[in-house]
Amino acid sequence: FITFGKLVIEVGGQKVVISGNAGGNKPGGGILGEFHIEVNGVDHHVADIATYGPITNDPLISSTFTNSRVVTGTDKDGHAVELRLWDGGEPGKNTDRFWFNVDGTIVGNAVTGNLIDQGNMQYHPVCRGPGDIN
């Protein structure tokens, strides 16, 4: 799974803030997590994640950006949202990358995504449940 908090960047004069988490299986089926993409005060909140997994094409393709992930869903206002994330290391600023698409409006470089100015992502390759020890 991947967690990401208060990722901040300015794109085209617009402040963008991204936060949330995604990955793992819900006990009753589906994918755990939710996320927000806020663009100049407009919140695209996705409460139910439709898909989560490795990225098979640019931008941020997983074969180049190891452990990059794509998350999709529909926001609270009915907009289709696709978010691509890559944890490039610590501390996050100028190492982690993102790209997103809200109903056809794309933000980010079409191959490499964009570096974040603030915040951090953390990719977790192993998920453990409440009954797991160690």
Side-chain angles (χ1 to χ4, degrees), residues 5-10 15-18 91-96 98 115-121:
K6 288 291 184 183
L7 309 180
V8 179
I9 190 167
E10 187 174 308
K15 181 179 179 183
V16 176
V17 180
I18 303 169
K93 178 181 178 177
N94 295 323
T95 59
D96 294 347
F98 78 95
L115 289 167
I116 63 170
D117 295 330
Q118 178 182 327
N120 193 22
M121 291 177 216

Side-chain angles (χ1 to χ4, degrees), residues 18 37 55 58-60 69-71 81-86 97-102 105-114 121:
I18 303 169
I37 300 174
I55 302 172
D58 283 330
L60 298 174
R69 293 294 182 260
V70 60
V71 184
V81 180
E82 176 183 1
L83 174 62
R84 295 175 181 220
L85 302 160
W86 179 61
R97 295 179 174 273
F98 78 95
W99 176 96
F100 68 85
N101 176 345
V102 176
T105 300
I106 295 171
V107 173
N109 180 289
V111 176
T112 63
N114 285 59
M121 291 177 216

